């Protein structure tokens, strides 16, 4: 309902019951009929204007006290009742405002603004039944105001008195002429009454009067389509295409209907035409593309989404969102290099688009483009220095470059910024443990691994790395063995984890067990490493099989990457620690 905003009718207060002239008789009547003395009348005026002043400076408590004092002198002072109601409304206390407004309107039934305020109150409390009488009063007071007839018609509609509502909509049209709002209001009633023919006829009249206004064709097509009259809806939209062949909304509407009819090829053709139209809101197009995402296991759905996103960047070449979703669709179709180009274009258009920065660096890390990841990640951090995940990405990239001190700096940023995401905290502390180990800061390395395990106690990679580095230092071997065994339980048949456990058992002089686990590692390794092969030789030697040990050491040397002691082991035919 379109309730006019409440206004104070000037400082003369002609709506309040106060006289606009300064001549006051010795005795005047209050609204309730009780005579007021000259002094009382003057006091009431003084209190009222003081109350208004306090209200203006937002001293609502004092203003309320002043208006209530007036009511003690003159209980039927409608102006004070009205002001008190407004003060209650300002506090969203509509229940308290209602009786004050009802009393003010009963005292001064010809005051339009009292009824307007009461209508607003009833509307907010959804008291539709009482609205009808309010609009009757407003129509009585101002019979040429179309809004009051319109609001009464709306109230009758809510009361399901449809025929009466239509009569009042007719009266609105007599006063102010036809409008889209009136048309839509009537359509609601016709459809509630199940009178599709009448609803359609009314819009056809608007089309006849305005054949170039595509919105009327769309309204008519929607009525037909929502009532399962698809053929009629298509016919109307074909007429619209003739009236305006380049109107993208018509093609979108046709696409919807064809999709509902499972005519997917026809639907997609209409979408292609619509997507090429720059005037259609890009947000609407983005929603359509995203609608394909749940179907993405289907290659055809991925291809269709990519084709639409290609049309999108052509129609909206200056939109960062267009290039961002284009990058996403390229990525979904395994076109990674092209996706990188699209993301970079999106960031050129809007460098503040953080999620695109993140996606770009993520795929660069995945493709082992470490230098690019560092460059683009540090660029992202110049805009968003407090993004924990981006700090993590850059830290890991520097770790891959073996610049461990730089990596440590970024990874420390992560753990200082992130407080809730246990997964990123566990990964960051794990990476810190690796980096500290690489720079021989064993104390910090152990502390970082302990912290990582506090967030993710079953992180197999942390358990393995921590256990291995302890075994290399020949420290806390029982703890190392427990962690290594657990990592193998979590990730069975992992050659690297099995090798770690074998080496720890070797350190514990449990050579027979170590041999079994080393053989598992070699069995599960796609290509046995020099380190694993050398370790196997060490185990065999300490089990007394010198010839087999030398063979393994020679093989480790031929693979490349064995320890610096490998030549001595081969030449001296013995294990050297």
């Amino acid at each position: 309902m379109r309730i006019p905003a409440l206004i104070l009718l000037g400082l003369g207060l002609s709506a309040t019951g106060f006289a606009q002239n300064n001549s006051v008789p010795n005795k005047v009547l209050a609204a309730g009929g009780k005579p007021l003395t000259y002094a009382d009348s003057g006091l009431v005026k003084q209190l009222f204007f003081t109350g208004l002043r306090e209200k203006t400076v937002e001293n609502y408590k004092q203003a309320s006290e002043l208006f209530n004092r007036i009511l003690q002198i003159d209980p039927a002072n409608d102006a004070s009742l009205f002001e008190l109601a407004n003060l209650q409304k300002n506090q969203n206390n509509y229940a308290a405002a209602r009786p004050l407004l009802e009393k003010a309107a009963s005292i001064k039934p010809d005051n339009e603004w009292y009824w307007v305020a009461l209508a607003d109150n009833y509307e907010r409390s959804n008291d539709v039944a009482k609205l009808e009488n309010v609009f009757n009063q407003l129509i009585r007071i101002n019979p040429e105001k179309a809004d009051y007839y319109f609001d009464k018609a709306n109230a009758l509609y809510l009361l399901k008195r449809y025929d009466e509502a239509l009569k009042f909509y007719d009266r609105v049209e007599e006063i102010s002429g036809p409008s889209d709002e009136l048309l839509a209001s009537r359509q609601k009633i016709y459809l509630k009454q199940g009178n599709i023919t009448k609803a359609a006829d009314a819009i056809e009249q608007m089309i006849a009067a305005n054949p170039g206004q595509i919105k009327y064709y769309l309204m008519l097509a929607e009525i037909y389509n929502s009532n399962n009259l698809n053929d009629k809806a298509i016919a109307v939209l074909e007429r619209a295409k003739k009236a305006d062949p380049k109107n993208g909304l018509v093609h979108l509407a046709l696409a919807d209907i064809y999709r509902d009819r499972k005519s997917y090829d026809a639907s997609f053709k209409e979408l292609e035409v619509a997507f090429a139209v720059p005037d259609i809101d890009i947000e609407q197009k983005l929603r359509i593309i995203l609608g394909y995402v749940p179907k993405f296991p289907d290659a055809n759905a991925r291809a269709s989404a990519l084709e639409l996103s290609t049309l999108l960047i052509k129609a909206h070449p200056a939109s960062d969102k267009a290039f961002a979703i284009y990058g996403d669709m390229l990525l979904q179709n395994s076109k990674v290099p092209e996706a990188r180009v699209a993301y970079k274009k999106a960031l050129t258009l809007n460098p503040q688009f953080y999620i695109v920065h993140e996606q770009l660096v993520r795929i660069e890390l995945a493709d082992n483009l470490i230098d690019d990841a560092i460059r683009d990640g540090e660029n992202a951090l110049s805009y968003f220095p407090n993004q924990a995940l981006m700090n993590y990405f850059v830290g890991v990239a520097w770790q891959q470059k073996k610049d461990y001190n730089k990596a440590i700096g970024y990874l420390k940023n992560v753990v200082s910024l992130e407080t809730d995401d246990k997964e990123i905290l566990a990964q960051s502390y794990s990476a810190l443990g690796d980096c500290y180990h690489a720079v021989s800061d064993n104390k910090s390395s152990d502390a970082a691994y302990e912290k990582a395990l506090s967030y993710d106690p079953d992180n197999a990679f942390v358990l393995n790395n921590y256990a291995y580095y302890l075994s290399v230092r020949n420290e806390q071997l029982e703890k190392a063995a427990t962690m290594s065994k657990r990592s193998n339980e979590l990730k069975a048949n992992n050659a690297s984890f099995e090798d770690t456990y074998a080496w720890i058992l070797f350190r514990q002089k449990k050579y027979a067990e170590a041999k079994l686990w080393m053989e598992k590692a070699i069995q599960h390794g796609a290509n046995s490493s020099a380190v694993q092969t050398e370790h196997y030789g060490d185990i065999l030697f300490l089990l007394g099989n010198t010839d087999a040990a030398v063979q393994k050491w020679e093989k480790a040397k031929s693979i490349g990457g064995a320890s610096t002691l490998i030549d001595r082991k081969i030449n001296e035919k013995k294990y050297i620690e």
Side-chain angles (χ1 to χ4, degrees):
M1 298 182 184
R2 301 173 300 177
I3 307 299
L6 302 182
I7 58 172
L8 194 61
L9 299 183
L11 290 179
L13 301 172
S14 59
T16 68
F18 286 114
Q20 293 192 45
N21 56 57
N22 294 324
S23 60
V24 181
N26 287 336
K27 288 189 177 184
V28 296
L29 290 178
K34 176 183 176 182
L36 291 180
T37 65
Y38 178 89
D40 285 343
S41 177
L43 178 58
V44 165
K45 286 180 109 178
Q46 180 184 351
L47 291 171
F48 189 83
F49 283 105
T50 304
L52 288 180
R53 188 163 54 248
E54 294 297 330
K55 186 182 81 168
T56 302
V57 298
E58 299 183 359
N59 189 355
Y60 299 131
K61 182 179 179 182
Q62 183 64 27
S64 180
E65 291 175 356
L66 290 165
F67 293 132
N68 275 307
R69 281 187 60 192
I70 293 172
L71 293 176
Q72 291 173 357
I73 301 168
D74 179 7
N77 189 288
D78 57 284
S80 295
L81 290 165
F82 182 67
E83 292 300 336
L84 282 169
N86 282 336
L87 290 172
Q88 294 293 345
K89 177 184 173 182
N90 289 341
Q91 299 175 59
N92 294 318
N93 192 348
Y94 294 96
R98 175 181 290 197
L100 296 167
L101 291 171
E102 288 174 336
K103 187 172 182 180
S106 69
I107 294 169
K108 283 288 180 67
D110 291 337
N111 188 305
E112 184 174 353
W113 304 108
Y114 293 176
W115 292 108
V116 168
L118 197 52
D120 177 65
N121 187 286
Y122 289 152
E123 183 187 26
R124 289 177 183 275
S125 58
N126 202 31
D127 197 341
V128 182
K130 290 188 176 182
L131 278 172
E132 181 182 2
N133 178 60
V134 171
F135 290 120
N136 286 339
Q137 297 298 326
L138 286 167
I139 289 169
R140 174 184 62 79
I141 296 167
N142 194 343
E144 295 305 313
K145 186 156 187 171
D147 283 352
Y148 295 153
Y149 293 93
F150 188 86
D151 290 338
K152 181 174 180 182
N154 287 345
L156 291 168
Y157 169 79
L158 293 173
L159 292 168
K160 300 183 179 180
R161 290 157 58 184
Y162 300 130
D163 290 335
E164 293 176 72
L166 286 170
K167 290 179 182 178
F168 278 91
Y169 288 135
D170 291 342
R171 179 64 179 130
V172 173
E173 187 167 348
E174 290 174 8
I175 297 173
S176 57
S179 69
D180 290 348
E181 195 172 18
L182 266 176
L183 178 63
S185 297
R186 283 172 170 146
Q187 297 312 304
K188 288 192 300 184
I189 292 178
Y190 294 144
L191 294 174
K192 284 285 187 182
Q193 294 175 326
N195 197 337
I196 297 169
T197 301
K198 198 161 188 176
D201 288 345
I203 301 178
E204 286 286 12
Q205 292 174 21
M206 296 298 285
I207 292 174
N210 307 274
Q213 284 286 358
I214 299 302
K215 62 183 176 182
Y216 297 126
Y217 297 92
L218 293 170
M219 288 174 64
L220 182 54
E222 174 58 26
I223 286 175
Y224 283 138
N225 192 45
S226 60
N227 286 278
N228 298 317
L229 298 170
N230 308 126
D231 291 337
K232 287 190 173 184
I234 291 172
V236 170
L237 292 171
E238 290 296 336
R239 288 163 53 195
K241 281 168 67 174
K242 291 179 182 178
D244 186 358
K246 295 183 179 180
N247 191 294
L249 294 176
V250 174
H251 293 283
L252 284 180
L254 278 166
D256 287 342
I257 295 172
Y258 285 131
R259 186 186 64 248
D260 292 342
R261 296 178 66 167
K262 303 189 186 312
S263 300
Y264 298 118
D265 289 342
S267 176
F268 192 76
K269 286 178 182 177
E270 296 295 342
L271 283 179
E272 287 180 307
V273 176
F275 268 66
V277 179
D279 293 339
I280 295 182
D281 179 28
I282 190 173
E283 297 293 337
Q284 188 172 0
K285 294 178 179 178
L286 291 172
R287 286 192 294 272
I288 291 170
I289 294 174
L290 291 172
Y292 282 88
V293 172
K295 308 171 187 175
F296 272 1
D298 180 1
N300 290 329
R302 293 198 301 271
S304 295
L306 176 57
E307 187 172 343
L308 291 178
S309 64
T310 304
L311 292 169
L312 188 70
I313 61 169
K314 292 178 181 177
H316 305 274
S319 169
D320 57 312
K321 291 181 179 179
F323 280 94
I325 201 165
Y326 180 49
D328 288 343
M329 296 307 107
L330 286 165
L331 200 58
Q332 289 294 328
N333 283 271
S334 302
K335 297 179 181 292
V336 179
E338 296 90 336
R340 287 185 64 220
V341 173
Y343 290 139
K344 284 177 175 291
K345 177 64 174 178
L347 292 173
T348 299
L349 293 167
N350 178 15
Q352 299 287 342
F353 205 158
Y354 171 72
I355 194 65
V356 178
H357 283 290
E358 187 176 298
Q359 189 76 316
L360 175 62
V361 176
R362 191 188 297 272
I363 63 176
E364 288 171 341
L365 281 174
D367 278 3
N368 205 33
L369 300 171
I370 304 304
D371 290 333
D372 294 304
I374 290 172
R375 183 191 64 244
D376 293 328
E378 291 185 338
N379 177 53
L381 289 172
S382 70
Y383 294 100
F384 304 97
N386 295 328
Q387 285 290 337
L389 188 56
M390 188 59 70
N391 275 281
Y392 174 75
F393 287 159
V394 177
V396 168
W398 279 116
Q399 182 184 10
Q400 294 293 315
K401 291 279 286 186
K402 302 189 185 306
D403 192 331
Y404 299 110
N405 287 316
K406 282 187 177 179
I408 287 169
Y410 284 104
L411 293 168
K412 287 173 70 176
N413 288 343
V414 179
V415 298
S416 67
L417 289 167
E418 183 57 64
T419 57
D420 298 323
D421 191 331
K422 290 184 178 181
E423 182 178 356
I424 189 65
L425 286 168
Q427 291 175 351
S428 298
Y429 278 113
S430 173
L432 277 169
D434 295 343
C435 291
Y436 280 128
H437 171 78
V439 296
S440 301
D441 186 348
N442 294 330
K443 181 178 179 181
S444 295
S445 177
D446 290 354
Y449 285 136
E450 293 287 353
K451 198 74 174 174
L453 291 173
S454 73
Y455 289 109
D456 186 4
D458 279 339
N459 188 312
F461 294 95
V462 176
L463 289 166
N464 176 75
N465 290 0
Y466 190 11
Y468 180 71
Y469 294 141
L470 286 176
S471 70
V472 168
R473 285 152 35 202
N474 208 17
E475 295 176 2
Q476 303 183 64
L477 293 180
E478 285 298 325
K479 179 176 182 176
T482 300
M483 291 191 295
S484 181
K485 184 179 180 182
R486 180 60 179 153
S487 72
N488 278 283
E489 291 169 351
L490 293 166
K491 298 268 185 193
N493 302 328
N494 182 299
S496 177
F497 292 1
E498 290 166 339
D499 173 56
T500 296
Y501 193 38
W503 179 247
I504 295 169
L505 291 168
F506 175 83
R507 285 292 204 183
Q508 293 178 309
K509 304 187 186 316
K510 299 176 181 179
Y511 303 123
E513 289 183 69
K515 178 177 179 290
L516 291 173
W517 280 93
M518 184 56 69
E519 288 171 346
K520 285 184 180 183
I522 292 172
Q523 177 187 351
H524 295 136
N527 295 297
S528 297
S529 71
V531 173
Q532 288 176 347
T533 305
E534 184 178 354
H535 284 173
Y536 192 22
D538 297 343
I539 295 168
L540 291 172
F541 178 85
L542 290 171
L543 284 171
N545 195 342
T546 303
D547 291 340
V550 172
Q551 289 178 1
K552 295 300 178 186
W553 290 333
E554 288 174 341
K555 183 178 179 181
K557 181 179 179 180
S558 68
I559 293 172
S563 74
T564 56
L565 297 172
I566 194 68
D567 286 332
R568 285 187 61 194
K569 290 179 181 180
I570 295 169
N571 294 332
E572 298 177 24
K573 295 184 178 182
K574 66 178 182 180
Y575 170 66
I576 300 171
E577 190 168 357

